[in-house]
Amino acid sequence: DTKLAICASRAAHWARLQRLGQSMQWAIRSGSERLIDRYSKALLKNCLDTSDFSALEAVSGQVDGAGKYLSNTMVFLIRYRDLQAMLKEIAVLEASLHSNSPSGKNRTELLESKEKQASHEIVKLLQFDIDIPKKVYFSLLHDYLLPMLSRPRPVVSVEDTFLIMHTLERLEMFFNKEPLLQEELPTWDYVRVMLDELLAKYQVTIDMANNTIGHEVYSMLRDLLPYLPDMASNVLAANTNFVHLDELQEAYNNKREEENEEREINLATVHSLRYALSQNLSLSMIQNA
């Protein structure tokens, strides 16, 4: 209808200008769940990539006041923003503990209380059934939750400890390894064999003089071998019309090294969490005995 068409047009206009707060306002005004979902995901990505929640502030009042617009994506984003504010308070409290003022004990108790709240919020965020960026997901685990599990007095409850254990189990299940704990990327030699087989299958010839293939062909190859790097925006790509296979090899090896290093760090985080969770569970049971 006319209202939906106008709102969709205005939402797309502001999205092109990276004004995602205004895009969400028009999406909400349209009443279309599809538009709201689309621009909620765009807003989520923008806020998490930039660590800037000003676009969310532009619509949070409108969203908070209308429950029907609180999609899982928006609820996650609002709670993630509130968690960041809580973590800043914790950092300030930690810094103030070094003072010798008489209120030091009160600050310690307040810090413990805040960390309990924050750990509970992190566990809730990890339970959301949305596509959380891998960097954010492991930041919640490694940067925030793991340090809280190493406190002398437990700040993560027994119930939340079991929930995190179940989260790690789901994380390591086969069908979840692709987005979060992906398998190690193959070597370039293997990839080059696959490329040659695909080129032969589709009767595509390599420009032997320049050792290149066209970008259109390469786009097709990326659809078939999705772990190939995006050469259209790669700093190693010297030409926008062709992909040099030497440049492709270097770009792929760089990507493989980065992703495999990230994979090892993520696996180490999971192993560290398993140990910390078992220790936290033991301390909590002793404390509650």
Side-chain angles (χ1 to χ4, degrees), residues 77-103:
L77 189 54
I78 291 168
R79 298 188 81 145
Y80 184 83
R81 175 202 61 187
D82 295 343
L83 173 66
Q84 296 304 310
M86 196 182 304
L87 291 170
K88 287 179 181 178
E89 291 180 33
I90 288 172
V92 171
L93 280 170
E94 282 183 314
S96 70
L97 287 179
H98 298 293
S99 65
N100 296 320
S101 65
S103 60

Side-chain angles (χ1 to χ4, degrees), residues 52-114:
D52 180 3
F53 296 94
S54 56
L56 175 64
E57 300 298 337
V59 294
S60 60
Q62 189 175 359
V63 171
D64 289 339
K68 64 180 180 180
Y69 300 133
L70 280 174
S71 64
N72 277 349
T73 302
M74 291 303 294
V75 174
F76 176 89
L77 189 54
I78 291 168
R79 298 188 81 145
Y80 184 83
R81 175 202 61 187
D82 295 343
L83 173 66
Q84 296 304 310
M86 196 182 304
L87 291 170
K88 287 179 181 178
E89 291 180 33
I90 288 172
V92 171
L93 280 170
E94 282 183 314
S96 70
L97 287 179
H98 298 293
S99 65
N100 296 320
S101 65
S103 60
K105 182 179 179 181
N106 293 335
R107 288 200 187 100
T108 301
E109 293 173 352
L110 181 58
L111 175 62
E112 186 177 317
S113 173
K114 288 286 185 183

Side-chain angles (χ1 to χ4, degrees), residues 115-124 126-127 145 149 155-167 277 280-281:
E115 286 193 321
K116 286 180 179 179
Q117 293 177 43
S119 68
H120 187 58
E121 278 302 308
I122 291 171
V123 173
K124 283 185 176 180
L126 293 172
Q127 308 306 309
L145 194 58
L149 287 166
V155 295
V156 182
S157 69
V158 173
E159 294 79 7
D160 284 343
T161 301
F162 281 119
L163 281 174
I164 302 164
M165 287 178 170
H166 290 313
T167 297
L277 287 166
N280 184 77
L281 195 57

